[in-house]
Amino acid sequence: MSLVLANCNLIDCVTEGVRPNSTVTVDNGRILSVRTGGESAPPDGATSDEIIDLAGAYLLPGLWDVHIHPEYPNPPGTTVPQLTAWFGQNLMRGLTEAGVTSVRCAGAGHFMDVAWKRAFEDPSGPAGPTVYACGHFLTTTGGHFLTSGHALECDGPYGFVEAIRNQIKNGVDHIKLNLSGGIMGPFWDRHLDSFLLPQEIEAAFTLCHQRSIPVMAHATNPVAVKAAILLGANSVEHGYDMDEDCITGFLEYGTWYVPTLGITHLTPSQADNEWERSYCERKALAPDLVRRAEAAVDQHRSWFQTALEAGVKMALGSDVLPLRDSALLELGLWVKDGATPWQALTAATRNAAELCGVGSDVGTLEPGKRADMIAVAANPLNDIQNLRQLQVVFKNGRLVADHRF
């Protein structure tokens, strides 16, 4: 069955700008045609029940968040079924309330992400985003973010090898390796410290390359970032502190950078709009974690700006919750730190799809692409916050949310 979206302002995330008076036709979940200019009448033969008049709304690809986790921390006594249900609800609300049509997980205990990936792939199942799953993230004993419930502690080359093989057996799409510490952790978990021994890192990367599975590398200091790039990571997450050799490495090796600005930027003293203030109030970070975030923010911002100016390949991931807010908050931070709305928007659509290896299938509005689309009331290229004026969401060409009335 065909679906015709008439009378829209098209942002295809291929060519910068808006294409007014556009009509997009979808058939069997894929974009069949895009017509622009002149009358925005639907194609000949289309029946009225197959036509949605978008009345000048801005149609663009669905948003991505390529660094997510399930909820944490959790109340004492919370069960795995409860956690799994909450994660699914979070994913579904991200789709219908924010237009996040695809996500890449950065760590989920009990393979919750694999479970929901399979549920959403079932045509008879619930509507949810496309999920790229990683299962647990792999760290060392005394490693990063152990309190999350999503970490798996490994030691020695064969400890990592065994864990990676088990992850693959359980159906993950990529492997998340934590090469260093972070902002949000106890005294032993600091972002300037690297955790893995050389032989552990090399064994892990060797096996991942042998099995042709991408590596998502948590790397937060120059030593860890350069190790991840040189060993062939698909992406580097965070990069709070880097150096010029890191930037050179990104460009030389074509490694993706996912900066997750929210981790250092979203503190009460830095929040300067209603959405950021609301997030900080709900999050209620401990004073020590606020100090650690703010101590790192200037370097983080500077290296984000340097990478952006240098032309490093970058995609948008938030590392914050819930998904109905995460990508929107991160998009705002990108623009606040100097990205144009176009750069931020393509990072959350086209670039994110390319990072996940599916850029030829989704992430832009072109004939033949999967019809993951959203429409908003006002132009996000004028103000990125206009993405919050969500009107409709389409997943695989199916209308899954309508906020127009």
Side-chain angles (χ1 to χ4, degrees):
M1 176 179 174
S2 294
L3 172 69
V4 179
L5 306 179
N7 191 23
C8 65
N9 286 298
L10 185 72
I11 301 174
D12 60 14
C13 288
V14 179
T15 303
E16 184 172 0
V18 178
R19 296 163 62 181
N21 302 320
S22 292
T23 300
V24 176
T25 303
V26 176
D27 187 59
N28 290 322
R30 293 193 173 271
I31 298 171
L32 183 65
S33 66
V34 177
R35 297 190 302 149
T36 300
E39 295 185 4
S40 60
D44 294 339
T47 61
S48 59
D49 60 344
E50 297 171 331
I51 301 169
I52 296 178
D53 186 346
L54 290 179
Y58 291 78
L59 185 70
L60 58 147
L63 302 178
W64 290 59
D65 189 332
V66 297
H67 192 121
I68 72 158
H69 297 279
E71 295 282 351
Y72 58 83
N74 299 294
T78 303
T79 65
V80 173
Q82 286 174 317
L83 291 174
T84 305
W86 294 343
F87 188 31
Q89 290 169 0
N90 184 27
L91 291 165
M92 288 184 274
R93 291 188 68 181
L95 173 70
T96 60
E97 296 180 23
V100 177
T101 57
S102 297
V103 297
R104 184 181 65 147
C105 200
H110 310 286
F111 297 102
M112 288 183 280
D113 52 352
V114 176
W116 281 110
K117 168 188 172 72
R118 292 172 177 168
F120 295 145
E121 286 175 343
D122 183 349
S124 63
T130 301
V131 177
Y132 296 87
C134 77
H136 307 90
F137 61 75
L138 307 184
T139 188
T140 62
T141 296
H144 176 58
F145 210 22
L146 303 182
T147 57
S148 66
H150 310 316
L152 186 63
E153 293 175 282
C154 310
D155 291 294
Y158 290 103
F160 278 91
V161 164
E162 180 181 17
I164 291 167
R165 287 173 175 156
N166 189 56
Q167 299 277 105
I168 294 171
K169 180 181 72 174
N170 279 280
V172 303
D173 298 295
H174 56 277
I175 296 295
K176 168 75 175 299
L177 293 175
N178 280 58
L179 276 60
S180 58
I183 301 292
M184 305 297 167
F187 68 91
W188 72 78
D189 184 1
R190 301 283 165 163
H191 75 276
L192 296 177
D193 294 329
S194 296
F195 288 165
L196 277 68
L197 295 173
Q199 56 266 41
E200 291 175 321
I201 303 176
E202 290 165 9
F205 273 90
T206 296
L207 179 59
C208 289
H209 294 323
Q210 179 180 305
R211 298 298 297 271
S212 299
I213 190 161
V215 175
M216 179 185 196
H218 169 112
T220 56
N221 61 62
V223 171
V225 170
K226 284 180 280 194
I229 292 171
L230 291 172
L231 287 167
N234 183 50
S235 70
V236 166
E237 315 295 303
H238 310 303
Y240 305 131
D241 183 24
M242 298 195 286
D243 61 23
E244 290 294 342
D245 288 339
C246 295
I247 303 300
T248 300
F250 276 120
L251 296 170
E252 181 179 348
Y253 286 81
T255 310
W256 287 94
Y257 176 37
V258 180
T260 67
L261 297 176
I263 295 298
T264 59
H265 289 51
L266 290 174
T267 64
S269 68
Q270 298 181 85
D272 66 0
N273 60 51
E274 61 182 291
W275 306 290
E276 292 176 4
R277 286 190 287 269
S278 176
Y279 170 83
C280 291
E281 183 177 345
R282 293 193 314 271
K283 184 69 174 176
L285 279 177
D288 175 60
L289 298 181
V290 170
R291 286 192 292 270
R292 286 171 62 171
E294 293 180 348
V297 70
D298 288 342
Q299 282 184 317
H300 194 191
R301 179 184 297 111
S302 177
W303 286 114
F304 165 80
Q305 293 169 340
T306 299
L308 189 70
E309 185 176 352
V312 170
K313 295 194 305 182
M314 298 168 67
L316 186 135
S318 70
D319 203 12
V320 302
L321 290 166
L323 283 174
R324 67 178 185 273
D325 296 326
S326 61
L328 299 175
L329 285 166
E330 187 73 10
L331 282 157
L333 294 173
W334 273 56
V335 173
K336 195 187 302 189
D337 274 4
T340 66
W342 173 254
Q343 287 174 316
L345 187 58
T346 53
T349 54
R350 182 183 69 200
N351 291 7
E354 290 178 359
L355 183 158
C356 290
V358 291
S360 63
D361 188 59
V362 69
T364 60
L365 299 189
E366 299 175 272
K369 293 287 186 78
R370 195 164 73 228
D372 289 358
M373 306 176 291
I374 64 173
V376 297
N379 186 357
L381 298 182
N382 290 339
D383 183 347
I384 200 66
Q385 302 295 357
N386 286 337
L387 289 171
R388 296 178 179 277
Q389 300 184 45
L390 185 65
Q391 293 198 340
V392 290
V393 181
F394 299 89
K395 181 64 182 165
N396 294 322
R398 179 163 67 101
L399 181 65
V400 295
D402 191 341
H403 304 286
R404 291 175 297 168
F405 309 110

